[in-house]
Amino acid sequence: VFNNLTGVLGLKIIDGDLLIVEDCQFKGMTSGYRCIVGDTGSVDNGYAMNATFKRCIFKGTATASEVKFFRYRLGTVTHALTLESCTIILSSTVGGSGIFLNTIPGTFVIKNTIIVCTTSGATLGTTVPALTESNNCYYNLSESADLANAIIVDDPQFVDTANDDYRLRPSSPCINAGTAS
């Protein structure tokens, strides 16, 4: 469990190597500038941000409208991000926040993941290139349901988000909606 990753950004990943994180919780992440996970700034550092997160919980707060949950430097290198069986809760004190910085090159995979935003108007990212998504639940995002990719747009019905209990209630639309692979 990683608590209270705050500052310009919460979790900085910049060296180009592949980071693999499994079964971790990132709680109390706060950023007022650019991103909660990734790299920040307006100048490309020449390194890719390559990360795979499996069965992780992210809970973060954006305090500026430009903050994205996952963001990388400008695009002269190709990035790769995989989120598998993760839960992401983005709280925001302003509208316009979202999950990905858009128009960046790379491959992005979201599978068996629940993404919840507490501010209306948040998006995955308007032009996320090479996004592969399947068996996800999005709540309070400007996204549409997609039967072909098993995308649910509904409240996942967590047991008690105020106390970080992200188990699903028996009536949750997410139960048995994921894949085993």
Side-chain angles (χ1 to χ4, degrees):
V1 176
F2 299 87
N3 283 310
N4 302 318
L5 300 171
T6 62
V8 172
L9 62 144
L11 176 62
K12 189 171 186 175
I13 304 169
I14 61 169
D15 67 3
D17 293 331
L18 175 61
L19 172 68
I20 299 173
V21 180
E22 295 182 3
D23 303 306
C24 288
Q25 293 182 39
F26 300 87
K27 299 177 355 180
M29 303 172 78
T30 304
S31 179
Y33 179 73
R34 303 256 185 220
C35 72
I36 295 174
V37 176
D39 197 9
T40 185
S42 58
V43 178
D44 197 324
N45 66 10
Y47 295 107
M49 188 195 111
N50 301 310
T52 297
F53 295 97
K54 292 183 179 182
R55 299 173 307 279
C56 292
I57 297 173
F58 297 89
K59 185 176 183 182
T61 301
T63 59
S65 62
E66 69 177 35
V67 173
K68 305 300 183 214
F69 211 106
F70 296 94
R71 182 179 179 130
Y72 322 103
R73 287 193 188 256
L74 299 178
T76 60
V77 294
T78 301
H79 305 280
L81 174 68
T82 298
L83 302 170
E84 186 174 332
S85 302
C86 292
T87 300
I88 299 169
I89 294 89
L90 173 63
S91 298
S92 182
T93 58
V94 293
S97 296
I99 302 303
F100 297 104
L101 172 67
N102 35 351
T103 67
I104 47 180
T107 58
F108 304 89
V109 177
I110 309 173
K111 180 179 177 181
N112 293 334
T113 293
I114 298 172
I115 301 176
V116 174
C117 289
T118 62
T119 304
S120 62
T123 66
L124 281 179
T126 54
T127 56
V128 179
L131 174 63
T132 302
E133 55 182 334
S134 67
N135 300 86
N136 300 319
C137 177
Y138 304 136
Y139 183 60
N140 211 13
L141 284 170
S142 298
E143 300 297 321
S144 299
D146 179 355
L147 293 177
N149 292 309
I151 304 300
I152 299 168
V153 181
D154 202 353
D155 184 350
Q157 300 180 23
F158 296 126
V159 170
D160 186 1
T161 56
N163 291 303
D164 297 331
D165 185 347
Y166 300 109
R167 293 175 299 147
L168 300 173
R169 293 181 184 175
S171 58
S172 171
C174 300
I175 292 176
N176 296 321
T179 62
S181 60

